[in-house]
Amino acid sequence: MSDDEANDREPAGDNEPAELPVPMGRRRKLFRRVLFGFLAFQLIVPLTYYVRADPYDERFAWRMFSAVRLHQCRPAASEVVDGQERPVDMPKVIHQAWINTMARNREDVIRAFLAKRCEQDGVDESTLTNVCVTPTGTRLAPQVYRRDCANGVEELPEQLILEDE
Amino acid sequence: MGKRKKKKRKLRSAQGSSSIPKETLGTDAESEPRPPAKTKSERKGATKARAPKEPKLESPFDQYFFGSVAPTRPYLLLRLSLLLLAFDCWVDLIPHAGRYGVGGFNVAHFAVLEILPTPTPGLYIGTMVLCGWLALVMAVRPARAGLALLFGLYTYGWSMSMLDSYQHHYLLSLVLFSFIFFPVPAATAVFGPTGGGARAPDADLGRWRVVGGLLLLLFVADATLAACGVRAPLDRIFGEGGLVIGARATAILLGLLLILMVDEGPKSEGKKSSAWGYVSVCVTCTIVYGYTAVTKLSKDWREGHALRRLGNSDAFQELQAQAIGDEGLPLFGTLPVDDFWKLMATGAILVQLVSAFGYLLAARQDELRGWKRYLIAASGLAPLSFHLGAEKMELEIGWFSYYMLLVVFVVFLPIEVLRPVGAAFTWPARFLRDRLGDRERSPWIFLALGLLASVPAAMVLDLPGTGGAAGVLAAVLVLGVVLAERKERLGDARGWGQGALVAGVCMWVSITMLNDVRYDYYRFVGGDHRRRGELAEALDAYEKANAYQLYPWCLSKGRERGECFGSEGAAAARAAELGEGWSAARSDRKEKEDEVRAQLERQRATESNE
C-alpha cells in the first residue's frame, strides 16, 4: 500500500494521535468540497436578507442589534365575529413570548396567528396591527396584517422605509 | 540528562520526516547543528524517498485550511465549548421551556419541521437534557458520530420553534458542524503523560509551567467573570475590593512568569496537526463579525441612536456621565452626549472589523514567528473588549458572550501561554490515566456506571420530558458502547461510559442543587396559566416552584434586581456590603400561590353553589 493510499483513509482508531497529517487524495478532495459548501452556505444565507421582501426577518443575517431590531412595536389584534369587530385579549389566547415575537413584525408568526384565530368558531376576519417607533423616535405608519377566514386571502402591509436617512 | 539528549534526538528525527515546513518548527530545531551537506545524488535520493509523505499544498485555499495548527487549540476549543454547552442547555435554556406549545400554537424556523408534532415543554426539555448530556459525554470522549448527533439535536432544539430566535444558537450550530471534523486525540496524546507528578520522559511541559498554567486558568477565568459583572468566586470568598483585584493581577503575573521564565525545555509546541475543522470555526467567526460590522454601517447605528437605546445599563450610564462631565474620556476629553454615543457606535464597528480580520489571521498564527504572531494575538483584544462590553451592557443574549470569550482565549493566546493552561486543565484526567493505566477493564462496567448515574439523574428531575430523555440517552449509550465494542474501540466504549457517569452527576447537581432551574421553569409556567385564567394548573406550578426554590432571598434597589441567596443572613450581609439603597427581601411565588389558591377556592365554591 502506498503512503498516499495510507493517508487517504481516516486516521487512527481508538486513540487518535495529536499530530494529524495533511489529508491527501480523495479525502482532501472530499474535505475541500465540504468546506466550499459550508463556506458558501455561510456567506450566501446572510445575503438573502438583502433580497428578501420582509426586512423584519433578520434571522441568519448576523444583524444583531440592528436599527430594525430596535424598533419598538405595539401589536393589537382584533377579529370580526358575526359582522362585529372585537379586540382579542392576546395574553389570554397565546403565550406572551409569541406576542413579543409579533411585536417585532415577524411576518411568519403573525400570519400563523391570524390563521389560528380563523380556526375559532364564527370568526370571519382576523387582523393584527403593529404600531412601531424607530430608535430615533420616528413613528412609522401602522403595519396592518389581515386574513379573510372564508377564503384564506391575506392582506400584508406595504414595505416600509425602515431607517431614518 | 541522558533522557533529555535522547528526547532531542527523537525530536530532530521526527522533524526531519515531518510534513510541517521547517520554518514552522520550534526554536530548538533552529539551534540544532545542521547536518553535513549532501551530494546532489543523495539529496535527490532523499527527496525521492520522502516524496510520497510530503503533502503538497499548492493552492492558497489548501494552505490556509489544511496547514498546521498547534493541537492544543482544537483540543481545548472542542472540550471547553462542549462543557459550556452542556451547562447552557441545562441551566439557561430549560427554564424557558414552558412557553412551547401553549394553545397548540407554534411556528418552526423551517417549514419542513412543521410536519413534526407541535413542540411541547416535554419535547423541548427532553431535547435540552439530551443535548447537555451528549455534549458532556463528547467533551470527555469525542467521536464523530456523537458530535454529528449533537449537531442534529441542538439544531433541532432551536429550530423547532421561532420562540428561540437567538442568532447565537444558529452560530453554535455552525460551530458544532465544524466540531464533527475536529481532530479528537486524547489529552495524553496532546499534552503528554503527567508521569505521576514527576516530569515524564515524553512530556514536554515541566511542572512549574503547569503550575503557571493553573494560575492563569483559575485567575483569568475569575477576572473575566468579574469583568462581565458577575460576582466571581474570589469576590464571594474575600469580598469585592482593591485587595482582590491586586491578588488576581499578582496571580496572573506569577502564572505568566512561571510559564515564560522558568527554563523547562522548549516553550513552543513542537506538535503540529492539520485541523481544518478548527480553521473553519475561525472563518465562521470572521464571517459573523464581518456581517455584523456591515450591518452597523446604517445611519441609525453610526449616529449612536441604536446603541443609546441598548446602553442603559449602570456601567454605560456611568461612562456617559464621565464623558459629558468635567472629567471627560481619556484621549477624547469632555464630549457632548450625542458625540459620545457616536464615538461608541463607531468604535463598535471598528472593533468588529478588527475582530473579523483577527480571526482570519489567527487561524494560521501557529505557522508564523516573531512579531507577526504577537500582533495577531494582540488583535484578540478587539473581540475580548467587545464581549466584555456586551456583558456590561446587560444585554439579553444568554451565554453568548461566554462562548465568544472562550473562543477568543483559545484562538488568540500565544501557544506558549495556552499550552500550559491546557496542560493544567487536563492534568487530573491525564494523572488518572497514568495512575490507572490502560488496564483492559471491561467497557460494560463503565456502561453500567454511566447508566446508573445518568438514567436516575434524568428521571428524578421532576420536569416534563425527562423520563423520555432518560430512555433515549440510555439507548444512545448502550448502542454506542455495543458498536464500539464490536469494532474493538474499547477506549471509546470505556470513555463514553465514564462520560455518562460524569454527565449524569453534573446534570443532577447543576439542575437540582446549584441553580434555580426548576423554580424558574415552574414560576414561568404558573404565571402563564394565571394570565390565561387556568387556576388549577397555575396553582400546581406555583406549588412546585416554591418547593424547588434554592435561593429565595434576593437583593433589590428600587426596580433593579440583584443576586439571590439561600439564607436571609447571607443576603442581608451582602446588602450591607453593597450599601447605597440595596436591601434583601424574600422573593418567591408564595403570595402568588396563596392568591391563586384563594381564587380557585372561590371559583370552586361558586361552581358548587350553582
Side-chain angles (χ1 to χ4, degrees), chain B residues 280-356:
Chain B
S280 84
V281 170
C282 295
V283 175
T284 297
C285 291
T286 296
I287 293 171
V288 173
Y289 283 108
Y291 271 115
T292 313
V294 170
T295 303
K296 291 184 171 45
L297 294 175
S298 70
K299 195 182 173 197
D300 266 350
W301 183 274
R302 282 184 282 120
E303 293 289 323
H305 303 306
L307 188 61
R308 201 167 177 172
R309 184 171 281 184
L310 285 169
N312 53 6
S313 68
D314 280 355
F316 268 76
Q317 294 306 319
E318 279 170 27
L319 195 61
Q320 180 189 311
Q322 185 188 330
I324 63 175
D326 291 340
E327 195 181 344
L329 289 178
L331 298 176
F332 296 98
T334 302
L335 295 168
V337 68
D338 287 346
D339 287 359
F340 166 74
W341 287 109
K342 220 182 269 187
L343 177 72
M344 297 296 287
T346 315
I349 297 170
L350 192 65
V351 160
Q352 288 181 338
L353 286 174
V354 173
S355 304

Side-chain angles (χ1 to χ4, degrees), chain A residues 2-4 7 10-24 27-50 57-73 89-102 104 106-117 119-120 133-138 162-165, chain B residues 19-20 49 52-59 61-62 65-67 71 98-110 141 144 158 161-163 165 167-168 170-171 174-175 177-178 181-186 189-190 270-274 276 280 283-285 287-288 291-296 298-302 305-307 309-310 395-397 400 433 438 488-494 524 528 531-533:
Chain A
S2 73
D3 287 342
D4 238 21
N7 203 5
E10 179 75 13
D14 212 12
N15 283 307
E16 194 169 286
E19 294 178 280
L20 286 184
V22 172
M24 299 292 285
R27 286 187 73 227
R28 190 175 346 152
K29 271 186 195 162
L30 174 70
F31 292 161
R32 209 186 279 144
R33 280 178 192 161
V34 172
L35 270 169
F36 268 128
F38 188 45
L39 294 178
F41 174 82
Q42 289 186 65
L43 286 168
I44 292 167
V45 167
L47 283 179
T48 61
Y49 170 80
Y50 300 94
D57 185 2
E58 296 184 303
R59 291 174 303 150
F60 319 121
W62 307 128
R63 292 174 53 85
M64 281 83 98
F65 304 113
S66 68
V68 175
R69 170 72 181 81
L70 294 171
H71 283 192
Q72 287 186 334
C73 305
D89 187 356
M90 291 174 77
K92 287 230 162 163
V93 297
I94 197 168
H95 196 278
Q96 183 62 40
W98 286 118
I99 301 172
N100 297 343
T101 312
M102 287 192 274
R104 289 187 216 152
R106 293 288 283 278
E107 197 178 286
D108 290 341
V109 179
I110 294 171
R111 288 169 61 198
F113 173 71
L114 296 181
K116 188 87 182 164
R117 291 310 302 163
E119 288 171 12
Q120 305 297 309
V133 178
T134 69
T136 51
T138 308
L162 296 168
E163 290 168 16
D164 302 328
E165 290 290 351
Chain B
S19 60
I20 310 301
K53 286 183 184 172
E54 290 288 347
K56 285 177 186 165
L57 296 174
E58 281 158 4
S59 77
F61 183 89
D62 282 3
F65 282 98
F66 299 116
R99 56 196 180 173
Y100 284 80
V102 171
F105 183 77
N106 185 60
V107 184
H109 277 283
F110 309 112
R141 184 83 186 189
R144 298 198 201 295
W158 61 259
S161 175
M162 283 198 197
L163 282 170
S165 286
Q167 298 212 28
H168 77 269
Y170 165 51
L171 172 60
L174 295 175
V175 172
F177 180 77
S178 293
F181 306 102
F182 263 47
V184 286
V190 178
K271 292 170 187 164
K272 293 284 162 64
S273 181
S274 178
W276 61 275
S280 84
V283 175
T284 297
C285 291
I287 293 171
V288 173
Y291 271 115
T292 313
V294 170
T295 303
K296 291 184 171 45
S298 70
K299 195 182 173 197
D300 266 350
W301 183 274
R302 282 184 282 120
H305 303 306
L307 188 61
R309 184 171 281 184
L310 285 169
L395 305 174
E396 288 178 16
I397 48 174
F400 175 53
R433 191 182 166 95
D438 246 348
E488 295 184 357
R489 296 174 71 116
L490 297 181
D492 278 345
R494 282 192 289 266
F524 292 149
D528 183 55
R531 267 193 296 276
R532 285 186 287 118

Side-chain angles (χ1 to χ4, degrees), chain B residues 58-257:
Chain B
E58 281 158 4
S59 77
F61 183 89
D62 282 3
Q63 283 168 10
Y64 185 78
F65 282 98
F66 299 116
S68 45
V69 170
T72 297
R73 295 188 196 277
Y75 180 93
L76 287 178
L77 188 59
L78 179 77
R79 283 6 189 244
L80 293 174
S81 303
L82 291 180
L83 272 180
L84 196 56
L85 178 65
F87 290 100
D88 185 9
C89 289
W90 294 330
V91 175
D92 197 48
L93 299 181
I94 285 179
H96 303 288
R99 56 196 180 173
Y100 284 80
V102 171
F105 183 77
N106 185 60
V107 184
H109 277 283
F110 309 112
V112 67
L113 295 175
E114 300 287 358
I115 57 172
L116 297 174
T118 302
T120 59
L123 180 66
Y124 184 75
I125 291 177
T127 309
M128 287 304 115
V129 162
L130 214 53
C131 270
W133 177 85
L134 190 56
L136 220 150
V137 173
M138 288 295 109
V140 172
R141 184 83 186 189
R144 298 198 201 295
L147 291 167
L149 180 61
L150 179 61
F151 160 72
L153 263 178
Y154 184 78
T155 305
Y156 175 61
W158 61 259
S159 62
M160 67 167 76
S161 175
M162 283 198 197
L163 282 170
D164 185 343
S165 286
Y166 281 121
Q167 298 212 28
H168 77 269
H169 290 170
Y170 165 51
L171 172 60
L172 273 174
S173 279
L174 295 175
V175 172
L176 286 173
F177 180 77
S178 293
F179 279 177
I180 300 170
F181 306 102
F182 263 47
V184 286
T188 43
V190 178
F191 300 101
T194 59
R199 197 175 166 199
D202 59 345
D204 50 8
L205 279 164
R207 74 179 67 166
W208 285 112
R209 242 186 259 165
V210 177
V211 171
L214 181 66
L215 285 175
L216 277 191
L217 178 69
L218 296 177
F219 289 95
V220 168
D222 191 82
T224 307
L225 286 175
C228 288
V230 176
R231 201 163 169 236
L234 271 189
D235 294 330
R236 285 173 193 271
I237 299 167
F238 301 109
E240 288 162 37
L243 197 66
V244 167
I245 294 171
R248 268 188 208 120
T250 309
I252 291 170
L253 195 64
L254 183 63
L256 281 172
L257 285 174

